[in-house]
Amino acid sequence: HLYMLTNELPNHDDIVSMFSRNDTLYLGRWFLFITSKLGSRFHTPWVSGAIALLALSMSSVLVVRALHIKRTTWIILACVLCVTNPVISNSLAYMFMADGFFISLLLAVGGMAVTDRYRFGWIAGGIFLGLSLGIYQTYIFTAVALFGIRYLTLLVSKDMDDKALLKKLAQYALALALGIVVYMVGLKAMLAYRGVTLSTYKGVST
């Protein structure tokens, strides 16, 4: 990804956002402008890119821990898959938002990991998932996929009885539900506070 940190491949969104605060509340991203403060208001690929890759690296570590991958070979392969996925390269094409994108990914993966690890982790996990949605709505599906993979491994391993498996499934469902509630409450509050209306772009308003 070094090329994208040291070069410029402008697209329409990139040009429009060259001097932007990434304040896209009208797209439902009510927490994005806060995470964007970690980087720069100006278009600085090496700053946004470095923050993005740090968040991506931390996400890879959490994926390995959340899925309880132990063998060194599988750990390396899992991390390689996380950082070389084509979606990552595509996201870096929107470098002005890349730091926010990958912080959203980190929160989504972190929300899943906390929910799975602790009995009442679904509370913190739900908050993390809600904030992830508030930055960029897409990465909630990463958390859903990880929940699914983790649950399948628990079913196959037979380390839990049926009652424990149902409790684990309930934890996952509660975290996702709380995440949606946190997102919607935050969105409604920010829209009302700032008097902003959601865009009709790709059905965001509905």
Side-chain angles (χ1 to χ4, degrees):
H1 302 304
L2 180 62
Y3 183 86
M4 293 302 295
L5 272 67
T6 56
N7 290 275
E8 174 66 15
L9 295 174
N11 55 41
H12 172 266
D13 286 353
D14 187 78
I15 294 169
V16 169
S17 302
M18 190 167 286
F19 303 104
S20 169
R21 293 187 303 158
N22 287 343
D23 188 359
T24 52
L25 176 58
Y26 62 93
L27 291 176
R29 300 170 187 169
W30 57 269
F31 200 60
L32 175 63
F33 80 99
I34 295 173
T35 58
S36 292
K37 289 180 182 296
L38 294 173
S40 171
R41 276 192 63 173
F42 301 100
H43 186 82
T44 49
W46 61 275
V47 174
S48 299
I51 295 171
L53 293 184
L54 176 62
L56 178 60
S57 301
M58 294 169 69
S59 299
S60 302
V61 172
L62 283 177
V63 166
V64 168
R65 289 180 176 272
L67 298 181
H68 296 261
I69 302 172
K70 303 294 184 183
R71 291 179 59 181
T72 303
T73 303
W74 292 111
I75 289 172
I76 293 170
L77 285 173
C79 291
V80 167
L81 284 172
C82 286
V83 301
T84 61
N85 191 294
V87 172
I88 304 301
S89 298
N90 182 64
S91 297
L92 291 176
Y94 300 88
M95 187 62 78
F96 61 95
M97 258 185 215
D99 47 357
F101 284 165
F102 293 120
I103 291 172
S104 176
L105 174 63
L106 177 61
L107 285 168
V109 175
M112 178 272 162
V114 169
T115 300
D116 180 69
R117 188 174 182 87
Y118 302 104
R119 182 180 177 186
F120 293 103
W122 62 269
I123 299 173
I127 294 170
F128 289 163
L129 292 172
L131 294 177
S132 174
L133 281 164
I135 299 171
Y136 190 54
Q137 297 93 328
T138 301
Y139 287 116
I140 189 69
F141 298 109
T142 302
V144 171
L146 289 172
F147 279 134
I149 294 168
R150 175 62 179 149
Y151 200 70
L152 283 173
T153 61
L154 290 173
L155 286 172
V156 172
S157 67
K158 297 182 180 179
D159 290 335
M160 291 183 171
D161 58 26
D162 290 346
K163 185 177 180 180
L165 283 169
L166 285 173
K167 283 184 177 179
K168 184 66 73 172
L169 190 61
Q171 282 179 257
Y172 296 166
L174 284 169
L176 289 167
L178 179 59
I180 293 170
V181 170
V182 169
Y183 170 69
M184 291 303 297
V185 169
L187 178 61
K188 296 289 187 184
M190 288 295 287
L191 289 172
Y193 175 71
R194 296 181 54 192
V196 174
T197 303
L198 286 175
S199 169
T200 58
Y201 176 71
K202 292 192 176 182
V204 169
S205 58
T206 56

